[in-house]
Each structure stands twice: as C-alpha cells, then as structure tokens.
Amino acid sequence: MAVKVLVVDDDLNIQRVLSFTLKQEGFDVVLAGDGESGVAMAADQAPDLILMDAALPGIDGYEAITRIRGSEAPGQRVPILLLTTEADVGQRVKGLRAGADDDIVKPFHPAELMARIRALLARSGLSTARTGPTQATLRRVIVFYGAKGGVGSTTLAINTAIALAAEHKRRVALVDANLQFGDLRVFLDLKLDTASIVNAISEPELDADLLRRLMVSHASGIDLLLAPTAPEQADVVMENHRNSPDALSGMLELMRGMYDYTVIDASRSLDDITIHLFDEADAVYVVMTADLSCLKNVQLVLKTMTELGYPRDKVQLVLNRSNAFTGINIDNAESVLGRPIAHKLINEYRGAISALNSGSPFMVSRPGSPLAKAVSDFTNAVDKELSVVEADA
C-alpha cells in the first residue's frame, strides 16, 4: 500500500509540481488549496504525511497545523513538513511550536524534498518501502574503476546509474568511494552538509532504515551515499575498515537488499577498501582510454586482479572516447592487453564536461545526444548480462 501524502498549498503550479514529483516516487497524493480544507482532509483522508504551506488564504499554515495537532487521537501524530518562503529563524520556531516536524524553504530542489520526506517517514516509523509493492531486488553491486585520472569513470558511473533507474526502472544507489576527493557532490550539485559514507561505516548498529536516512535522493531517481566533504575524514573510514572489515560488507549487504544495483565509483588507489569493493562486486568495469600511459596502468590492474583470483569475466574493459585519435587503434590495444575490450563509448568530451559543470548529468539534460545513446547502449548490455545471471542463479 502506497504512502499517502496530503499537499496543502494555494498555488496551483506548486500543487502540480509536488504532485508530479511525489507520484514519480510512488506516493499517493491528495490536494487541498487552503488551510480549512487542509484541516478537513487531514481528518477525512488520514494521510501518512502532510506538506503544509505556511502562507495560505483564510487560516495560515501555522494555524492549520495547530488545529490538526489538536484533533489527533492520543498516540497518533502525522509527520508535517512546513513549506516556507524565507530561511527565517522566527518562522522556523513558529512552525515547530505549532507542531511541524521539519520545514523547507521554497524554492527547493526535488532531491532535498525527497530526502526530508524520507527522513520524516523513517523517524515516524513508517518505512518508505510502502511507496511501492514489495519486490525482490537484483542485489547487484558493480564497480567503476578508472585506470588513470581523467578517463571519465565518474561520469560513466553517474550516467549509468541514472540510465538503469530511468530506462530500466531499477532501484539504484550510487556510492562515492573516492574517499578523499569524491566528486559526486559537485557533479550533482548537492549540498555539503549531507551525510556521507563515514556515517554509514562508523555506525555500529547500521540497519536498512538508518542507511536509507543517510542516503541522498536525487531528482534523476537514484539514491546516493556520498564521500566525506573533507579529505582527512577518509582516515576515519580507513581506520574503521582496519578494525572492523566486516562493516563494509554489512553495509553492501543491506544495499543489496534495498536496491537492484549498487553502483560504486571507486578510488584509483588499490588500497584495502578498493580491493574489498572488488571482492564484493558482481562486475568491475575498468574504464580506460587508448593512450600508452593508460594501457600501462590497465596491464598492471589486470595483473593484480588475476593474482587476486578474480574470474576473467568479472573484470570488463570499457574504452572511453573510442573514436578519438590517439595513434593506437583498438586492435593494437587489445593485443597489448591480451583480452578484448568489452565496451566502447564515443568521444564527446565537451558535452560531458559541460554537463558536469552544470550539475545536470547528460542522461538528464541531453538524453538524445550521441553520448547519452552510447551510455544507454552500454547500460542495456550491463543490465541484460547481470539480470540474466540473476535469473539463472
């Protein structure tokens, strides 16, 4: 049964935007255009959550919240998120005194709205799993590893995750495991004050509900577990991993149960955490370009993975900017590496960089571009291979 959300706002455009955003996330939505109607519908519709605009005709949002709280039966408390127009401490305090559980300032990013909604539902004991039918996940973990800096592994990880969610309707988490210099916050235009992988790894009693509250929901339909904001915080994760190596496995096992795909953007350092991620992964995609420096690195990576005993088909080579002239053709590269390049993506460097700098991935901002089509083809191959393996298991 889907979670029911009551939206109380007199602006029809905001009603439409909120209704569309919430329905896309699997919520049922009911609408009220003024405070009196909102109070009445809160009693009649028994919503699981209320989004209440502060400035309403008739009675305002503060008075509406006060009336809703006054009519609730003992032990019953519907979570209420107050929508305000100013980041004013006085308004926030007034809302909390009226009975709001949290507030958000308009205009807001859909990702922030969904993150606050999920946090409220989790605190109230209502699992967001109710937003859709119970369904087993594919439980797949895939890792993107750049053979050297600048080959586009982060870009590919981001856009593959989005394509899996948008085109294949998969539940997808994207994890930034580049602990010192993760870029997902910047590339996806996210705030610095959100939780990170440090919080998840350091939590001794991590469970699915808590992990879900640490994830950041993005407007593209994926959830994110971000890298820490300060490089020195990476030491916390490394130290925790040395003391409790099972913590990372436990976190990934929870994510397998929550998502069809957990997509990990790995650090280039072949440290204990990166190797552990390789161990856990169902597939490792080594992203490369056709130049001597990169080929040398790929040879070393493949040698390391062979020594670690990984099956040959677990590690797949992805040639990015395959149509760029480097003086080394694909046949020569495959001959040097001793194995085929499984996937090839075209060169559209300017488009990719422009999308990153705008904070809107090209699978969202330019879904019809040749590069987006190439990533879509790559994602089709990934999903076809890994979902078939699941079906045969």
Side-chain angles (χ1 to χ4, degrees):
M1 184 177 179
V3 170
K4 183 188 293 185
V5 180
L6 168 61
V7 175
V8 187
D9 200 301
D10 62 315
D11 189 319
L12 294 179
N13 288 328
I14 292 178
Q15 280 190 6
R16 281 193 287 268
V17 169
L18 289 175
S19 180
F20 175 79
T21 300
L22 291 165
K23 287 179 179 179
Q24 285 288 99
E25 294 290 331
F27 293 93
D28 281 342
V29 181
V30 290
L31 302 170
D34 58 66
E36 294 282 1
S37 300
V39 172
M41 293 186 71
D44 295 340
Q45 295 290 328
D48 299 299
L49 176 79
I50 298 174
L51 303 185
M52 179 72 69
D53 185 34
L56 291 168
I59 65 170
D60 63 17
Y62 306 104
E63 176 62 23
I65 293 172
T66 300
R67 292 190 188 183
I68 290 170
R69 291 290 181 234
S71 64
E72 288 177 324
Q76 293 183 346
R77 182 182 173 91
V78 60
I80 299 178
L81 179 62
L82 183 67
L83 313 179
T84 67
T85 55
E86 296 180 25
D88 179 72
V89 175
Q91 280 195 0
R92 179 178 177 82
V93 171
K94 184 178 179 181
L96 293 173
R97 285 177 175 169
D101 297 282
D102 195 4
D103 64 87
I104 188 170
V105 179
K106 296 189 289 187
F108 42 77
H109 195 286
E112 181 184 4
L113 175 67
M114 295 312 305
R116 289 180 181 269
I117 286 175
R118 287 179 173 160
L120 280 178
L121 292 175
R123 289 204 298 269
S124 68
L126 183 63
S127 171
T128 52
R130 284 183 56 192
T131 59
T134 302
Q135 180 182 348
T137 62
L138 288 178
R139 301 178 59 83
R140 293 310 187 199
V141 173
I142 60 178
V143 172
F144 286 86
Y145 177 82
K148 74 170 189 176
V151 297
S153 58
T154 296
T155 301
L156 185 55
I158 291 171
N159 288 281
T160 298
I162 291 172
L164 285 168
E167 298 179 5
H168 296 272
K169 308 305 177 186
R170 303 299 192 188
R171 286 168 283 185
V172 182
L174 177 58
V175 179
D176 193 342
N178 191 340
L179 301 177
Q180 285 193 308
F181 301 105
D183 287 323
L184 294 189
R185 289 179 192 272
V186 176
F187 290 166
L188 294 173
D189 195 24
L190 299 172
K191 293 183 176 180
L192 294 178
D193 59 354
T194 49
S196 77
I197 192 172
V198 174
N199 304 95
I201 292 294
S202 303
E203 174 54 54
E205 298 183 1
L206 185 69
D207 58 20
D209 282 338
L210 178 54
L211 180 57
R212 189 175 288 111
R213 282 149 56 189
L214 297 175
M215 307 289 289
V216 176
S217 297
H218 189 258
S220 63
I222 63 175
D223 290 343
L224 299 126
L225 186 59
L226 298 168
T229 54
E232 61 270 18
Q233 290 181 337
D235 294 338
V236 176
V237 181
M238 296 297 294
E239 181 64 23
N240 186 278
H241 185 68
R242 283 191 288 269
N243 295 331
S244 304
D246 292 339
L248 183 55
S249 295
M251 184 192 79
L252 291 174
E253 181 61 24
L254 288 173
M255 298 186 84
R256 286 182 187 272
M258 295 163 61
Y259 299 98
D260 295 305
Y261 288 98
T262 299
V263 179
I264 300 174
D265 181 28
S267 166
R268 283 185 53 234
S269 300
L270 288 175
D271 53 29
D272 290 344
I273 286 185
T274 302
I275 296 299
H276 192 123
L277 293 173
F278 290 166
D279 291 343
E280 293 277 353
D282 296 288
V284 178
Y285 297 98
V286 178
V287 185
M288 55 176 288
T289 51
D291 59 83
L292 286 177
S293 174
C294 196
L295 289 175
K296 177 212 58 167
N297 288 358
V298 173
Q299 283 182 309
L300 295 174
V301 170
L302 293 177
K303 181 176 182 293
T304 299
M305 291 182 170
T306 299
E307 291 172 350
L308 291 170
Y310 298 146
R312 187 179 177 90
D313 59 356
K314 176 176 179 173
V315 182
Q316 299 190 29
L317 301 181
V318 182
L319 180 61
N320 198 15
R321 304 165 198 152
S322 60
N323 58 332
F325 179 76
T326 64
I328 301 175
N329 62 39
I330 293 175
D331 289 340
N332 289 340
E334 291 178 330
S335 177
V336 168
L337 298 173
R339 67 166 65 195
I341 294 171
H343 307 280
K344 306 172 186 67
L345 299 172
I346 65 168
N347 179 42
E348 196 181 338
Y349 185 76
R350 288 184 179 178
I353 289 297
S354 175
L356 291 178
N357 289 337
S358 71
S360 180
F362 57 76
M363 292 303 294
V364 175
S365 60
R366 302 175 63 222
S369 67
L371 183 55
K373 178 62 167 61
V375 171
S376 180
D377 291 343
F378 167 73
T379 305
N380 290 341
V382 169
D383 187 65
K384 180 178 180 181
E385 179 180 353
L386 292 179
S387 61
V388 167
V389 171
E390 175 68 16
D392 292 342

